[in-house]
Amino acid sequence: MKAFTYQRAATPAAAAEAFVRTPGARFIAGGTNLLDLMKLEIDSPAHLIDVNGIGFDQIEATQEGGLRIGALVRNAHLAADARVRKDYGVLSRALLSGASGQLRNRATTAGNLLQRTRCAYFYDTNQPCNKRVPGSGCSAIGGVNRQHAVIGASGACIATHPSDMAVAMRLLDASVETMRADGARRVIPIADLYRQPGETPHLETVLQPGELITSVVLPRPLGGLHIYRKVRDRASYAFALVSVAAVIQPDGTGRAAVGGVAHKPWRVEAAEALMGRGATAMAAALLAGARPTEQNAFKVTLVERTLSAVLAAAKQGGA
């Protein structure tokens, strides 16, 4: 790990000011991803700005009937919140399926959304990776890519986004509230947060340098039955090969979002209209245009089978 300086910010304005003032600065909260990147010298910030003391650590009801989740709310606290468990069960289930209890106690809401890919080539600094070193190439294309994307990828990157929480947030149509370094604020639908990899996979979100996530807002509860089904190589502490987050209403209509298949949580609203026709029709619409590799083509079938399991569970009234 390379040497760096460190400071604790007391206010959002102080954090933003420090970022603008110090080249090579990074915000740090839970650090569950950033510290790993620093140890491997994938990311070598010159200065860390600790934002744990600036607030944004509460879950509050909104006037519209939803919830505003502070960016620094820990994953464990969010999953255990009574309102989340009652009205947004799919979010609680997604959070509890990720990482370990120790990591959930430290990981934050914003950090979870912004965690970087777990592509093995991204983490191996001896291998070319466009996401790590722009223009160096993508070792996963033509390499070992069983875990990688089957849709939404590009000729420059086929990595997937690792977050379970983000899949549930996309299903729920969450919005991300931010504050820029100049104090300006904006609201970004989570559907628009992540960039397509294209030729610039190192640019992963639409956030500007120094732009700080302050909260994530959930709209009014959807009701219905909430299910999160995660398929992985081992029962715990593993990233999804495929995951499905779903909310299904008593009349059989609903929503579904998929993880483990793309650079972002994958949801196609038009495919949801086919839910009543079964998993095969729905999966075909959801993954229309998929371009799997020889090693990960099984994911296309796995999405259909996981959707089928979710729909069957819904008919039985539970996850």
Side-chain angles (χ1 to χ4, degrees):
M1 184 183 292
K2 295 183 179 179
F4 59 91
T5 54
Y6 170 87
Q7 75 174 92
R8 293 179 179 174
T11 65
E17 180 183 356
F19 188 95
V20 172
R21 184 178 65 246
T22 313
R26 296 284 190 280
F27 297 124
I28 187 169
T32 57
N33 188 203
L34 179 58
L35 292 178
D36 285 341
L37 298 177
M38 291 172 64
K39 290 173 185 176
L40 295 171
E41 296 188 3
I42 295 168
D43 197 346
S44 299
H47 185 65
L48 291 184
I49 305 165
D50 189 330
V51 296
N52 284 293
I54 67 174
F56 307 130
D57 58 354
Q58 301 296 314
I59 304 172
E60 302 170 334
T62 65
Q63 292 182 350
E64 294 76 21
L67 289 179
R68 175 170 284 104
I69 303 161
L72 297 175
V73 172
R74 308 294 166 173
N75 286 179
H77 295 164
L78 181 58
D81 185 89
R83 294 162 294 185
V84 174
R85 293 176 64 188
K86 176 179 179 290
D87 294 327
Y88 305 96
V90 66
L91 176 57
S92 182
R93 292 185 177 98
L95 285 162
L96 291 173
S97 75
S100 65
Q102 295 93 328
L103 287 173
R104 291 194 296 269
N105 284 337
R106 289 300 303 163
T108 63
T109 299
N112 190 305
L113 291 177
L114 299 179
Q115 64 182 299
R116 306 200 69 187
T117 183
R118 263 46 179 199
C119 172
Y121 296 107
F122 173 74
Y123 276 86
D124 184 351
T125 55
N126 293 311
Q127 301 290 333
C129 172
N130 288 319
K131 193 178 283 290
R132 177 170 27 84
V133 181
S136 63
C138 176
S139 298
I141 298 176
V144 178
N145 49 44
R146 176 175 178 271
Q147 297 274 354
H148 288 68
V150 298
I151 195 165
S154 72
C157 182
I158 58 172
T160 58
H161 195 274
S163 173
D164 291 290
M165 185 191 78
V167 181
M169 291 291 195
R170 176 66 183 93
L171 178 80
L172 296 169
D173 280 333
S175 295
V176 175
E177 296 181 332
T178 73
M179 184 181 73
R180 302 185 194 183
D182 60 3
R185 296 176 180 269
R186 63 170 170 159
V187 178
I188 307 169
I190 197 167
D192 300 330
L193 177 64
Y194 300 104
R195 294 176 182 264
Q196 292 185 327
E199 296 301 315
T200 55
H202 61 292
L203 301 176
E204 296 173 343
T205 72
V206 298
L207 297 179
Q208 298 179 358
E211 189 170 9
L212 189 67
I213 294 178
T214 58
S215 59
V216 177
V217 178
L218 297 176
R220 293 176 62 87
L222 294 171
L225 182 65
H226 290 222
I227 298 175
Y228 189 76
R229 183 68 62 94
K230 181 175 181 178
V231 183
R232 44 190 163 176
D233 284 326
R234 57 181 185 268
S236 66
Y237 204 65
F239 297 101
L241 289 169
V242 163
S243 63
V244 173
V247 172
I248 302 175
Q249 303 299 337
D251 63 1
T253 62
R255 300 180 178 184
V258 181
V261 298
H263 61 289
K264 64 178 182 177
W266 197 256
R267 181 180 171 205
V268 178
E269 283 84 342
E272 296 167 353
L274 303 175
M275 185 172 286
R277 292 173 53 185
T280 300
M282 190 175 178
L286 188 66
L287 296 182
R291 298 178 63 185
T293 69
E294 182 179 353
Q295 296 175 34
N296 69 13
F298 72 93
K299 284 192 176 188
V300 176
T301 302
L302 191 56
V303 167
E304 179 183 340
R305 291 180 177 176
T306 307
L307 278 169
S308 181
V310 166
L311 296 177
K315 289 181 180 180
Q316 296 172 7

